[in-house]
Amino acid sequence: QIQLTETGGGLVQAGGSLRLSCVSSVRTVNGMGWFRQAPGQERDCVAAIAWNNFTYYSDSVKGRFTISRDNAKNTVDLQMNSLKPEDTAVYYCGTHSTIALLRRGSALYWGQGIQVTVSS
């Protein structure tokens, strides 16, 4: 069992920045990802990172978001810049064996989710 805990969400104006952080209860070599789900929409992967720091970004966030992980601290962060109102969603941290699976929106373990709201 892996527990994931997210921190760092909140309210920000369009064009602003937020940094999300997720800490895992155990050290893992799994891929780690950040997902988001807006009301009435599916949960989609916006960024993922493998143990060797290979990364994936969805087209909607590419160039604005940066994912990073610290394997010594069991953390994965998401730096979000140039935020837009359409980035408003609940953001989840998740983990799976490969980032290919994370990209499909699948995770073995999920965090509890954290709200990010971007005002126009």
Side-chain angles (χ1 to χ4, degrees):
Q1 187 80 11
I2 297 176
Q3 291 184 329
L4 303 173
T5 305
E6 303 105 335
T7 57
L11 173 65
V12 65
Q13 288 188 333
S17 298
L18 280 176
R19 188 175 183 90
L20 305 182
S21 184
C22 171
V23 59
S24 170
S25 60
V26 300
R27 183 167 182 168
T28 177
V29 298
N30 280 1
M32 302 291 294
W34 283 97
F35 303 73
R36 67 186 182 189
Q37 187 170 22
Q41 297 187 16
E42 293 185 352
R43 188 177 300 184
D44 293 323
C45 180
V46 297
I49 187 167
W51 172 262
N52 62 359
N53 290 319
F54 183 82
T55 57
Y56 157 79
Y57 295 96
S58 69
D59 289 342
S60 61
V61 307
K62 198 173 296 182
R64 299 188 297 121
F65 291 10
T66 302
I67 190 169
S68 59
R69 67 188 290 169
D70 186 329
N71 293 326
K73 297 181 179 178
N74 302 333
T75 59
V76 58
D77 292 349
L78 186 68
Q79 177 66 40
M80 305 185 293
N81 298 328
S82 302
L83 282 161
K84 305 175 182 179
E86 51 263 43
D87 294 318
T88 296
V90 177
Y91 282 71
Y92 297 87
C93 176
T95 182
H96 214 315
S97 53
T98 69
I99 63 172
L101 290 167
L102 293 167
R103 289 179 58 174
R104 298 173 193 171
S106 177
L108 292 175
Y109 299 98
W110 296 100
Q112 80 282 1
I114 193 165
Q115 179 70 44
V116 171
T117 303
V118 184
S119 63
S120 58

